Amino acid sequence: MDWLPLLSTLAGAAIGIGSTLVVDRNRWKREDVKEAVRLRLDIYTQYTTTVKALGETLRALAEREHPSDDERALALRAAFRDSGVSIASERMWLIAPQPVVKASDSVFHCLRRICDGYADGAAVSGPEDRARWEERGRAAARMRKLMREDLGVGPLTERHSPLLDDHGDPAAR
C-alpha cells in the first residue's frame, strides 16, 4: 500500500481545518472587539447625556422660586438622586478603563458640589457658582477626550461648548 497519497490527504485536511479554525478565531476576536466598543459607546453616551441633563436640571431648579430654603435643597437633592447619574456612574465603573472611570467620577463629584452649593443657598451665576461650573467644564472636556481616545475616535478640533456656557450663562461668553 502506498502511504504517500493518504498522508498527503491527511496533511491537507489538517492544514485546511487548522486554517479554518484560525480564520474563525480571528473573526470572533474582531467581532468581540467591535461589540466591546459598541458597549462602551452606549455607556459613554448614556453617561454624558445624563450628566448634561442633570446639570441643566440643577440650574433650572436653583433659579426657580421655592417656598423655603429647605424646599429648594430637597428639590435639588431629589433631582440629583432621580437623575440616574448614580446608575450611569456604576456602569462606567464596571465597563470603562481606569482613566475614563476617574474622569467620569470627577464630573460626578463636580455635579455633586454644584448641587450641594445650590442646596446651601449659592446664587446662580455668582462667583462660587461660576467656579464650580468651570471646574465641571474642564472635567467634562477631559472625560470626553479620554472617551474618544478609548473609542478610537480622533480628537475634536473645537470645543463642545465654552466652559461657562455649559449652563447657558450669557455673561460667560
Side-chain angles (χ1 to χ4, degrees), residues 130-148:
R130 278 197 294 275
R132 287 185 191 107
W133 280 103
E134 286 176 9
E135 181 184 8
R136 194 220 57 94
R138 286 188 300 272
R142 175 154 173 68
M143 177 187 69
R144 284 190 299 271
K145 177 184 176 286
L146 291 169
M147 287 175 173
R148 291 177 66 83

Side-chain angles (χ1 to χ4, degrees), residues 67-119:
S68 69
D69 290 343
D70 287 341
E71 290 288 326
R72 178 185 194 208
L74 284 172
L76 287 158
R77 292 198 170 107
F80 195 95
R81 182 184 59 249
D82 298 340
S83 70
V85 73
S86 295
I87 293 168
S89 178
E90 286 301 318
R91 291 185 78 200
M92 294 290 285
W93 277 88
L94 291 172
I95 300 297
Q98 184 66 25
V100 176
V101 169
K102 288 177 75 174
S104 67
D105 197 46
S106 178
V107 173
F108 178 92
H109 288 290
C110 286
L111 283 168
R112 173 54 77 187
R113 284 189 288 278
I114 289 168
C115 180
D116 290 345
Y118 287 151

Side-chain angles (χ1 to χ4, degrees), residues 26-43:
N26 287 340
R27 186 176 331 129
W28 174 79
K29 281 182 178 179
R30 282 191 308 272
E31 288 302 314
D32 196 39
V33 168
K34 284 181 187 177
E35 183 58 31
V37 169
R38 278 192 289 266
L39 176 61
R40 288 194 315 277
L41 175 61
D42 289 345
I43 289 168

